[in-house]
């Protein structure tokens, strides 16, 4: 590549860093915060996670659910998270208006307390990291764009480092050269780890993430198995034909501690459209050798199924398992029989890649070493930004942006090829390049007009 290519890289690297640095710093700091979410939550919410209710009467899980519904009128249980000891069971409740609650049950299935999901530590960190806690398509695209430009900054920085021999110790060192050398050293070391970290986070992104998800759905052989895309249905023959479409009557709220010696069925209990009790479903789950922790998602319709799954990237403290142990199974909501089951071995190569990549990105793939490695990479990236700005400020003239000089030389083939490759791999980045080229073109025409008028 020619000298003009170096200057063009330098100029785009400068402006890209200048505009994207605030976002990249925010994403990095929130990423560090999320790395330790389970450690923080184990301490911050220890009473909910591990505490006990003042009530000590032993309830069945279904009686506990009925009690929760009685005390949270207008809400329905949509998910149950069965944890390993010493974690308490967590219920997810939803209202018709879309409001959510987390309610925790102790070993006696008595209520310990509740949380507002919006303000849990993990969800706050996740929302800042993915959507700056603002949300919306535009913000999600902006976050993804910052991640894409980070890839370009790393590649362009690596090119300039070796082109200018920035790692070589100069005979006469200046303050700016010291900053430049440190910036180059850090950038060279973390380029590959940082690119891996960014790409393993892109499945959550708005534009590229949707593309990856669609590809995974459209091509089951390399992505998500059809069974996960199209869950089976329950056998509705077990519901009398005459009453199959009738709504069940609502019962009066009972004493939640009554009828302990009965058959376990209590008025108002959520059993998935008059289906099997959760306790019996858990027996079926155990019979299928499915161990804790796992989550139970309720059926959403009369012919829906109970979905029992183990995930490696749930974002729920105490619920994650090894990627190889991921599993999704479907149980008939009326008989409780296992209908079908899909595990990690049935995933396509794309699904397997992200099944390992996401927990690697989140920092819990291989325990504390994973967290420490990710932390070091993130801190190094912050120092990279810091030394980049110090290098700029050391040469910046007062009252002037001191941007790298524009180049009038033709664009080299190598530069075009690299930009096309990055634009294809990261479509949102490619779209932003068109805007950059348009702005550069306008500035070139304006300057050309000024020069021609001054000559005249």
């Amino acid at each position: 590549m020619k000298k003009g290519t170096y200057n063009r890289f330098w100029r785009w690297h400068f402006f890209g860093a200048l505009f994207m640095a605030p976002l990249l710093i925010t994403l990095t700091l929130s990423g560090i915060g999320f790395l330790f979410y389970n450690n923080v939550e184990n301490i911050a919410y220890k009473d909910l996670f591990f505490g006990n209710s003042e009530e000590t009467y032993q309830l069945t899980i279904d009686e506990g659910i009925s009690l929760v519904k009685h005390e949270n009128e207008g809400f329905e249980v949509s998910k149950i998270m069965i944890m390993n000891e010493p974690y308490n069971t967590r219920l997810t409740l939803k209202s018709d208006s879309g409001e959510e609650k987390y309610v925790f049950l102790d070993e006696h299935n008595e209520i310990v307390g509740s949380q507002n999901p919006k303000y849990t530590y993990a969800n706050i960190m996740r929302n800042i990291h993915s959507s700056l806690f603002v949300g919306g398509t535009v913000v999600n695209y902006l976050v993804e764009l910052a991640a894409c430009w980070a890839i370009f900054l790393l590649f362009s920085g690596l090119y300039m480092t070796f082109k200018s021999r920035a790692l070589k110790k100069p005979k006469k060192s200046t303050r700016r050269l010291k900053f430049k050398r440190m910036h180059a050293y850090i950038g060279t070391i973390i380029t590959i780890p940082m690119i891996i970290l960014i790409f393993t986070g892109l499945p959550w992104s708005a534009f590229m993430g949707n593309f990856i998800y669609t590809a995974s759905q459209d091509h089951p052989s390399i992505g998500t198995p059809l069974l996960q895309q199209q869950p089976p249905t329950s056998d509705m023959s077990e519901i009398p034909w005459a009453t199959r479409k009738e709504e069940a009557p609502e019962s009066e709220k009972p004493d939640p501690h009554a009828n302990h010696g009965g058959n376990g069925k209590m008025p108002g209990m959520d059993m998935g459209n008059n289906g099997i009790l959760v306790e019996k479903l858990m027996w079926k789950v155990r019979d299928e050798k499915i161990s804790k922790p796992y989550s139970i998602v309720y059926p959403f319709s009369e012919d829906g199924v109970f979905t029992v799954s183990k995930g490696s990237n749930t974002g729920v403290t105490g619920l994650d398992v090894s990627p190889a142990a991921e599993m999704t199974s479907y149980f008939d909501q009326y008989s409780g029989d296992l209908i079908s089951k899909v595990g990690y071995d049935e995933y396509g190569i794309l699904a397997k890649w992200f099944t390992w990549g996401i927990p690697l990105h989140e920092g819990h793939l291989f325990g504390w070493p994973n967290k420490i490695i990710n932390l070091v990479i993130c801190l190094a990236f912050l120092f990279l930004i810091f030394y980049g700005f110090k290098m700029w400020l050391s040469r910046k003239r007062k009252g002037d942006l001191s941007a790298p000089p524009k180049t009038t030389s033709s664009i080299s083939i190598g530069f075009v090829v690299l930009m096309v490759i990055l634009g294809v791999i990261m479509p949102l980045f490619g779209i932003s390049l068109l805007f950059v080229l348009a702005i550069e073109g306008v500035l070139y025409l304006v300057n050309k007009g000024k020069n021609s008028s001054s000559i005249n």
Side-chain angles (χ1 to χ4, degrees):
M1 293 186 185
K2 303 173 184 177
K3 185 176 180 181
T5 299
Y6 180 92
N7 287 342
R8 188 168 282 109
F9 264 131
W10 184 17
R11 186 172 173 81
W12 287 18
H13 185 94
F14 171 81
F15 281 111
L18 194 64
F19 287 111
M20 293 298 173
L23 269 175
L24 292 175
I25 291 170
T26 303
L27 293 175
T28 305
L29 290 175
S30 58
I32 291 173
F34 190 78
L35 271 179
F36 302 96
Y37 80 89
N38 49 4
N39 309 99
V40 172
E41 291 197 332
N42 280 337
I43 297 172
Y45 310 134
K46 64 178 181 180
D47 291 339
L48 292 173
F49 285 5
F50 312 111
N52 290 308
S53 168
E54 293 180 357
E55 301 288 342
T56 58
Y57 201 98
Q58 183 67 53
L59 302 178
T60 66
I61 183 70
D62 296 278
E63 290 169 342
I65 291 170
S66 180
L67 178 59
V68 168
K69 291 182 65 179
H70 173 61
E71 296 193 2
N72 295 272
E73 192 172 350
F75 285 83
E76 292 290 337
V77 177
S78 62
K79 186 186 297 183
I80 308 171
M81 296 174 192
I82 309 296
M83 309 289 198
N84 275 323
E85 294 181 355
Y87 284 100
N88 287 328
T89 298
R90 191 181 96 174
L91 309 181
T92 299
L93 278 62
K94 288 187 178 181
S95 68
D96 290 338
S97 62
E99 187 181 354
E100 280 193 342
K101 281 185 183 181
Y102 295 154
V103 178
F104 294 84
L105 302 179
D106 65 10
E107 60 183 345
H108 300 112
N109 292 314
E110 297 277 8
I111 298 174
V112 178
S114 63
Q115 282 181 321
N116 185 334
K118 288 183 180 178
Y119 304 111
T120 63
Y121 178 83
N123 287 344
I124 289 173
M125 288 296 108
R126 184 189 292 109
N127 288 336
I128 293 174
H129 191 67
S130 62
S131 60
L132 307 181
F133 211 67
V134 176
T137 304
V138 174
V139 176
N140 290 334
Y141 281 178
L142 193 60
V143 169
E144 181 179 348
L145 189 61
C148 293
W149 270 91
I151 298 287
F152 169 76
L153 293 175
L154 290 165
F155 274 126
S156 59
L158 202 61
Y159 167 77
M160 290 187 292
T161 293
F162 289 101
K163 188 70 175 178
S164 65
R165 298 181 181 178
L167 298 178
K168 187 177 180 181
K169 191 173 182 179
K171 293 180 180 179
K172 187 178 179 181
S173 183
T174 63
R175 191 163 176 264
R176 178 175 175 268
L177 285 176
K178 286 179 181 178
F179 292 142
K180 182 180 180 180
R181 194 157 175 258
M182 185 59 71
H183 183 72
Y185 262 126
I186 297 172
T188 302
I189 292 170
I190 71 165
T191 290
I192 293 177
M194 196 68 199
I195 288 172
I196 292 173
L197 208 56
I198 292 171
F199 269 108
T200 51
L202 285 175
W204 290 295
S205 61
F207 195 94
M208 192 170 174
N210 184 60
F211 174 79
I212 292 170
Y213 179 78
T214 302
S216 177
Q217 298 284 298
D218 291 345
H219 304 283
S221 60
I222 63 169
T224 307
L226 279 174
L227 182 58
Q228 279 189 314
Q229 298 180 40
Q230 303 168 1
T233 56
S234 292
D235 183 3
M236 292 184 64
S237 62
E238 295 191 45
I239 302 178
W241 178 86
T243 60
R244 203 171 292 174
K245 292 187 179 182
E246 290 183 6
E247 292 185 7
E250 292 185 2
S251 302
E252 293 181 0
K253 298 293 188 294
D255 175 2
H257 296 278
N259 195 30
H260 293 306
N263 60 9
K265 288 187 179 182
M266 297 181 63
M269 186 177 297
D270 193 335
M271 297 181 294
N273 293 318
N274 299 317
I276 189 173
L277 293 170
V278 172
E279 186 174 18
K280 290 185 178 179
L281 174 66
M282 291 173 65
W283 295 346
K284 296 280 188 176
V285 170
R286 283 194 291 269
D287 290 344
E288 296 298 331
K289 304 295 190 295
I290 299 173
S291 61
K292 300 177 183 179
Y294 59 82
S295 63
I296 301 172
V297 178
Y298 275 75
F300 292 107
S301 62
E302 287 186 343
D303 63 348
V305 292
F306 280 108
T307 304
V308 178
S309 63
K310 297 166 72 73
S312 63
N313 55 291
T314 65
V316 176
T317 299
L319 194 63
D320 290 330
V321 299
S322 165
E326 273 205 2
M327 173 279 311
T328 305
S329 54
Y330 305 98
F331 290 81
D332 189 291
Q333 67 168 300
Y334 304 108
S335 67
D337 292 338
L338 177 69
I339 300 174
S340 52
K341 182 178 178 181
V342 60
Y344 173 81
D345 291 339
E346 284 77 52
Y347 290 1
I349 188 170
L350 187 64
K352 284 182 176 178
W353 162 254
F354 286 111
T355 299
W356 287 91
I358 292 174
L360 176 69
H361 181 92
E362 291 182 338
H364 58 82
L365 180 59
F366 46 91
W368 273 100
N370 193 171
K371 293 182 188 294
I372 299 302
I373 290 171
N374 286 20
L375 176 63
V376 170
I377 294 170
C378 289
L379 291 176
F381 188 63
L382 291 174
F383 276 111
L384 182 70
I385 295 172
F386 170 77
Y387 280 111
F389 273 92
K390 292 286 284 185
M391 183 172 59
W392 168 52
L393 293 174
S394 67
R395 69 176 177 80
K396 184 180 180 299
R397 297 182 297 274
K398 189 175 181 180
D400 185 24
L401 188 60
S402 300
K406 286 180 285 188
T407 177
T408 56
S409 62
S410 58
I411 301 176
S412 68
I413 297 297
F415 183 85
V416 172
V417 169
L418 179 60
M419 292 298 103
V420 169
I421 291 173
L422 291 178
V424 170
I425 295 174
M426 302 177 293
L428 205 58
F429 174 75
I431 293 171
S432 72
L433 284 183
L434 297 178
F435 284 97
V436 172
L437 289 172
I439 293 169
E440 289 276 32
V442 170
L443 291 175
Y444 172 77
L445 293 174
V446 169
N447 290 330
K448 187 177 180 181
K450 286 181 179 179
N451 293 333
S452 61
S453 60
S454 64
I455 293 173
N456 294 331

